[in-house]
Amino acid sequence: MKLFIIHNGRQEYLKSTIKQLLKYNKAEDIVFLSDDKVATKQYLQEDIVYENISEYFKSSMEFEKIYQHMSYNKKQYELFCFQRWLILNEYVKKNNIPVFAHIDSDVLLFSNAEKYYDKYLKNYDFCYV
């Protein structure tokens, strides 16, 4: 099962998130979509799949045209919180990925996602936000 992290920037905590994922999951199953593929790969130095979010940003640009900011948080932060779901949607459609999980970049996963899916979720259409 593919595991997705979608993130802008290079915060230090990303190293811990990726290292924890690699303890229980295969590197080729982890997809890190970021704003700077080359710099991010050099920064994290892990053998996972890196993709640039700009390749999957068409619907996000359309959404930005209609987005109305009403939060006390910064506009770019809140906008990206929505856009990452559109980025993920474009990626999984383009790459024909029927089963996957998205993990926030500041969340640590302490299990093998595929085993968990097989044991508890495979018989259900499932979405958790």
Side-chain angles (χ1 to χ4, degrees), residues 37-123:
K37 176 183 172 180
V38 174
T40 301
K41 187 171 184 174
Q42 291 171 347
Y43 175 70
L44 294 175
Q45 299 177 337
E46 297 292 349
D47 190 25
I48 63 175
V49 179
Y50 291 91
E51 295 284 345
N52 195 312
I53 60 175
S54 64
E55 301 294 318
Y56 308 95
F57 216 73
K58 183 178 180 185
S59 56
S60 293
M61 289 172 37
E62 292 299 315
F63 177 75
E64 188 170 4
K65 293 176 187 176
I66 62 168
Y67 174 74
Q68 294 181 6
H69 186 65
M70 296 183 208
S71 172
Y72 292 109
N73 295 325
K74 292 182 179 181
K75 179 181 178 181
Q76 281 309 114
Y77 172 81
E78 289 296 337
L79 177 60
F80 189 73
C81 287
F82 288 104
Q83 288 175 320
R84 66 183 172 158
W85 298 110
L86 300 169
I87 293 164
L88 180 60
N89 185 52
E90 282 188 39
Y91 186 93
V92 297
K93 283 184 176 180
K94 181 177 181 180
N95 294 285
N96 197 27
I97 300 172
V99 177
F100 58 89
H102 172 271
I103 301 167
D104 279 343
S105 60
D106 61 349
V107 171
L108 299 176
L109 184 64
F110 290 87
S111 66
N112 178 283
E114 191 160 356
K115 287 179 183 177
Y116 186 86
Y117 171 81
D118 287 342
K119 186 172 181 178
Y120 298 108
L121 304 174
K122 71 178 176 182
N123 296 320

